[in-house]
Amino acid sequence: MGVVVAIDGPSGSGKSTVSRLVAARAGLAYLDTGAMYRAAAWWCEHQGIDLSDADAVASAVEAMPLQVGVDPADPRVHCDGQDVTAAVREPHIAAVVSTVATNPRVRPELARLQREVIERESTSPDSFSGGAGIVAEGRDITTVIAPGADVRLLLTASEQARLERRARDLEAAGKAVDAAALRDQVLRRDRDDATVSQFLTAPKGVTLVDTSDMTLEETVGHVLDLVRAALPGPGARPQDPAESQEDHQRARALRAGLEDYELDEEDLALLSGDQEGPAEDAPEAGLPVLAVIGRPNVGKSTLVNRVIGRRAAVVQDTPGVTRDRVSYPAEWAGRRFTIVDTGGWEVDVAGLDAAVATQAEVAVDRADAVLLVVDARVGVTETDAQVVRMLRRSGKPVVLAANKVDSSAQEGDAAALWGLGLGEPYPVSALHGRGSGEVLDAVVSVLPQVSAVAAPPPEGRLHRVALVGRPNVGKSSLLNAIAAQDRVVVDETAGTTRDPVDEIIELDGRRWVFVDTAGIRRRIRQVRGADYYAVLRTQGAIDKAEVAVVLLDASEPVTEQDVRIIQQVVDAGRALVLVNNKWDLVDEDRRAALAREAERDLAHVAWAPRINLAARTGWHTNRLTRALDAALDGWTTRVPTGRLNAFLGELQSATPHPLRGGRQPRILFATQAQTAPPRIVIFTTGFLDAGYRRFIERRLREDFGFTGSPIQISVRPREKRRRR
């Protein structure tokens, strides 16, 4: 595996020149991601496309025949076989490239191409570098494109230094320098890029290099030192310089001192190794899909629960409980498949009911087979007849289930459904399970072995993100915005979502599992009916997730329920991201009030990343990935035992625990028992006050980060072993 160096920085910081020289001297490939954006701008203009037409630009870039050279001595750029290396460096292209770079559909496409180049150069022996590695430079390269790079740098420089460098570059190329136009170009580029990237601050793990007072040779030498330190082999620097030999020795001494204290079996097990949280099963895809369709209140969700063998779908004896299409894994007779519960399909409806019906039709379109559920006691209605017509147009195989046949005396009601022309109606009682085996046998017989509609199984483990919050704060709107489709029903009516909806979504070239959940209106003991079960499902979705994105309505004051939901996430030990949604409705006065509310009501989660966005318009939704990465990074942070004990030793010496009852508790030893969430176990001679534990947590965050993650501090007072 070759070394990957990612270098970010604003325009004029010197990242292109430095990256090219570092790559040449280290024998690595070189990728100029900025050239790809400039080539995209040139290509669109070459095709006669108006750059203000975002959809046309995105379509053109997706079809762009681009070849980017990675030779640091001569990085050529070709479009459709034409060498455009010089053309993409023209001042005109530099002036318009921001319009293309800020297009939300262009960035993921170019990000995908950039990752392919990086992967090829760092792994393939047939690549330009022979698998030795690559130096990649450009906007967001350290956080979005290559967050796992061996070396991640942010090159910065003062505004004056950047302007002078840009002017020198233009003079060297024989081009006229207009100081005012140059200043406008550089600063405007910063403003435009700031709408999609926070590129002037170094996130955790990224080394900041200020080149304002450094010569080019000094900067290149400094970067080369960092690259050599990351290279494997003799002489490589330790990966964790924070943990010294002295820290190791101190940890061993403190651990040995614990032998003088009474330790139980749990203590010994904890000290002997890590206790990681249980691994979640990876989401499964690619199985045959069965859609359950029917008019409202015929028992679709009850039948789904019967098939999957648990009460997963929310059920109530009133029409319209289910609204979204919700997928569940199912198995029958050794055949695994995906069953999709849908809301009631009706004709000639409007508003929320129309949206529900649309989602049911989408479920039919994306299914391999359909299970039509009809209420046998009611018989064939006009709506049932309309459903049949819709299913015939789809061309999908259909199995007919005559539900609510609770006894043999009612089987005559099922026989009347032959008139629908869908073949044999299978009498079934979803409530009691009667006849469910026969209908499942029929379902399995029509399902294909390999799905024609389902996506292939995702590679690797996908991070699971739960969208939670009060009703009507925009959770479903956000899911639709990042999915770029109407995946879930959105309505002004509060409490539209009932069942958690899982969706695999690609953001910035990476796949995530996002879960839309029902809004938590009030304390669970105050909730009744379908909303009660919806809240239970939401709590389950939080427990299964790795990150919980709590949405707040930025146009309204922070409520007690908002604070309670946030605390629910913290208590569950999930990583946390706060989102102020509906930012398009916020004026200057409301922004000031929001800042005061955050300081007053959300000070206890000041460690959580915060984003301002507008889900309805898609504004700033591209910032979600960075916040999720930061929260996951903090959630999985591990502090080496030696460094942790050194830290606590210094802290205890500088600020000892107050005396309590004439005794002063002393920290004996500490270890991080687990990550995800981080759990710190501290062995002491006495109980630590809650205030002192909060003090330890605050200092841990100052020294080690833990951004976006709660920290669980467990104190174990132990008595000294009596001598015999």
Side-chain angles (χ1 to χ4, degrees):
M1 186 75 173
V3 66
V4 177
V5 182
I7 301 180
D8 200 350
S11 177
S13 61
K15 62 181 183 295
S16 298
T17 305
V18 171
S19 299
R20 196 163 57 250
L21 289 173
V22 168
R25 296 181 186 182
L28 306 176
Y30 164 69
L31 174 62
D32 180 3
T33 61
M36 299 175 73
Y37 284 100
R38 289 190 293 273
W42 179 89
W43 175 253
C44 290
E45 289 202 336
H46 183 69
Q47 297 293 310
I49 297 172
D50 184 2
L51 297 184
S52 62
D53 188 344
D55 291 337
V57 169
S59 299
V61 173
E62 290 170 357
M64 175 177 58
L66 177 66
Q67 298 89 36
V68 181
V70 293
D71 184 355
D74 190 21
R76 314 299 294 182
V77 182
H78 292 81
C79 269
D80 198 20
Q82 180 179 349
D83 190 341
V84 296
T85 308
V88 301
R89 292 286 180 182
E90 292 293 328
H92 168 66
I93 297 298
V96 301
V97 67
S98 292
T99 307
V100 177
T102 54
N103 189 313
R105 287 178 55 191
V106 168
R107 295 181 71 84
E109 174 65 18
L110 294 184
R112 181 185 62 81
L113 296 175
Q114 292 158 18
R115 291 192 186 93
E116 289 179 356
V117 175
I118 294 172
E119 177 71 16
R120 182 174 64 251
E121 291 297 332
S122 60
T123 59
S124 175
D126 299 327
S127 63
F128 170 82
S129 67
I134 188 170
V135 179
E137 57 94 355
R139 188 74 69 243
D140 279 347
I141 195 75
T142 60
T143 55
V144 177
I145 310 302
D150 302 281
V151 180
R152 296 191 294 159
L153 306 177
L154 175 63
L155 265 61
T156 64
S158 66
E159 181 183 306
Q160 185 61 34
R162 291 160 55 200
L163 290 172
E164 291 175 356
R165 291 171 184 174
R166 292 289 293 161
R168 285 197 299 268
D169 290 343
L170 291 173
E171 289 176 352
K175 299 172 182 176
V177 179
D178 185 337
L182 180 62
R183 181 181 181 85
D184 176 72
Q185 177 187 317
V186 171
L187 298 185
R188 179 162 45 82
R189 178 73 184 276
D190 286 352
R191 288 194 302 270
D192 290 343
D193 287 343
T195 64
V196 294
S197 154
Q198 299 174 2
F199 61 92
L200 295 178
T201 56
K204 184 180 178 181
V206 177
T207 302
L208 181 67
V209 181
D210 191 340
T211 65
S212 302
D213 300 322
M214 298 173 67
T215 66
L216 176 61
E217 195 60 35
E218 289 173 341
T219 305
V220 172
H222 182 61
V223 174
L224 279 171
D225 286 341
L226 296 172
V227 173
R228 294 190 187 103
L231 291 172
R237 298 177 187 175
Q239 293 296 311
D240 187 9
E243 187 171 27
S244 64
Q245 187 64 29
E246 184 181 350
D247 295 337
H248 280 295
Q249 293 174 353
R250 177 181 298 194
R252 286 197 298 268
L254 293 173
R255 172 65 182 88
L258 276 182
E259 301 298 332
D260 296 333
Y261 290 81
E262 298 285 350
L263 302 177
D264 56 27
E265 292 183 359
E266 186 180 352
D267 295 337
L268 296 173
L270 186 149
L271 292 168
S272 64
D274 296 336
Q275 297 182 349
E276 301 291 342
E280 295 287 340
D281 293 334
E284 190 172 17
L287 298 176
V289 180
L290 174 71
V292 182
I293 302 295
R295 59 182 179 81
N297 209 35
V298 294
K300 298 183 296 297
S301 297
T302 305
L303 184 57
V304 168
N305 286 341
R306 176 64 59 183
V307 172
I308 64 178
R310 55 190 175 93
R311 295 182 178 180
V314 177
V315 174
Q316 190 177 7
D317 192 18
T318 56
V321 173
T322 304
R323 290 162 178 170
D324 296 297
R325 48 188 170 96
V326 188
S327 301
Y328 304 99
E331 183 176 358
W332 180 255
R335 289 283 305 279
R336 293 184 301 151
F337 57 95
T338 300
I339 189 169
V340 182
D341 189 19
T342 66
W345 189 91
E346 295 181 274
V347 67
D348 296 332
V349 289
L352 177 60
D353 293 333
V356 173
T358 299
Q359 288 297 317
E361 293 174 8
V362 172
V364 172
D365 184 61
R366 300 183 181 181
D368 295 294
V370 176
L371 179 61
L372 174 61
V373 183
V374 179
D375 189 340
R377 296 183 302 182
V378 175
V380 178
T381 67
E382 179 59 28
T383 301
D384 292 324
Q386 293 279 7
V387 173
V388 171
R389 296 190 190 102
M390 183 267 291
L391 294 178
R392 283 180 175 153
R393 289 194 299 269
S394 72
K396 302 295 174 69
V398 180
V399 175
L400 178 59
N403 192 28
K404 304 185 182 181
V405 180
D406 299 330
S407 67
S408 57
Q410 297 174 292
E411 291 187 359
D413 298 333
L417 301 180
W418 278 95
L420 288 172
L422 296 176
E424 181 182 358
Y426 292 89
V428 62
S429 174
L431 185 62
H432 303 110
R434 185 177 184 274
S436 57
E438 288 78 4
V439 74
L440 285 174
D441 287 339
V443 164
V444 169
S445 68
V446 300
L447 282 175
Q449 293 292 331
V450 179
S451 176
V453 295
E459 297 181 1
R461 183 173 176 270
L462 304 185
H463 294 300
R464 194 174 184 86
V465 183
L467 305 176
V468 298
R470 292 186 293 114
N472 214 29
V473 294
K475 301 179 294 296
S476 298
S477 297
L478 179 58
L479 181 67
N480 287 343
I482 60 180
Q485 60 173 302
D486 291 334
R487 175 60 183 86
V488 290
V489 174
V490 175
D491 194 81
E492 294 294 335
T493 306
T496 300
T497 304
R498 292 272 173 67
D499 299 277
V501 179
D502 295 15
E503 183 73 4
I504 298 178
I505 295 174
E506 184 168 326
L507 287 179
D508 294 322
R510 295 157 56 196
R511 303 179 83 187
W512 307 73
V513 179
F514 280 86
V515 186
D516 185 24
T517 66
I520 304 175
R521 193 184 307 271
R522 55 179 71 89
R523 294 181 180 181
I524 190 169
R525 63 175 177 267
Q526 299 173 344
V527 183
R528 297 291 184 268
D531 291 335
Y532 172 81
Y533 296 102
V535 171
L536 289 181
R537 304 303 193 271
T538 297
Q539 180 61 60
I542 294 173
D543 293 337
K544 290 180 181 178
E546 297 169 85
V547 187
V549 176
V550 178
L551 278 81
L552 309 172
D553 188 340
S555 64
E556 299 178 356
V558 176
T559 67
E560 181 186 355
Q561 186 62 11
D562 290 323
V563 178
R564 189 178 293 118
I565 293 170
I566 292 171
Q567 190 59 46
Q568 191 174 342
V569 172
V570 173
D571 293 342
R574 304 301 95 181
L576 174 65
V577 173
L578 297 179
V579 170
N580 291 317
N581 192 24
K582 306 185 182 182
W583 200 253
D584 51 330
L585 305 179
V586 175
D587 55 20
E588 290 296 331
D589 293 338
R590 178 59 195 145
R591 292 182 186 182
L594 191 62
R596 292 192 297 270
E597 292 166 7
E599 186 176 350
R600 182 186 67 235
D601 300 326
L602 305 178
H604 63 298
V605 288
W607 39 264
R610 300 185 188 181
I611 311 172
N612 304 324
L613 57 81
R616 189 180 294 276
T617 63
W619 183 79
H620 274 186
T621 53
N622 57 327
R623 295 187 174 183
L624 193 58
T625 304
R626 173 174 289 188
L628 292 174
D629 283 334
L632 283 169
D633 187 44
W635 199 55
T636 56
T637 294
R638 173 173 294 283
V639 182
T641 302
R643 184 68 192 94
L644 177 61
N645 282 276
F647 161 80
L648 289 175
E650 296 168 1
L651 183 146
Q652 187 175 226
S653 299
T655 311
H657 192 286
L659 289 171
R660 292 292 182 266
R663 297 183 60 187
Q664 187 176 57
R666 183 167 55 88
I667 296 175
L668 301 171
F669 183 78
T671 184
Q672 184 170 347
Q674 69 174 49
T675 59
R679 178 171 171 248
I680 309 292
V681 179
I682 305 176
F683 292 87
T684 67
T685 60
F687 187 75
L688 299 183
D689 290 350
Y692 198 77
R693 290 200 302 272
R694 288 194 297 269
F695 168 66
I696 292 175
E697 179 182 344
R698 178 174 63 81
R699 291 296 305 275
L700 279 169
R701 295 190 183 279
E702 291 175 358
D703 280 41
F704 303 108
F706 295 105
T707 302
S709 174
I711 302 177
Q712 299 175 351
I713 297 179
S714 177
V715 178
R716 299 193 174 199
R718 293 295 180 261
E719 296 287 338
K720 203 162 190 177
R721 199 179 275 115
R722 295 181 180 178
R723 298 188 181 273
R724 298 180 179 178

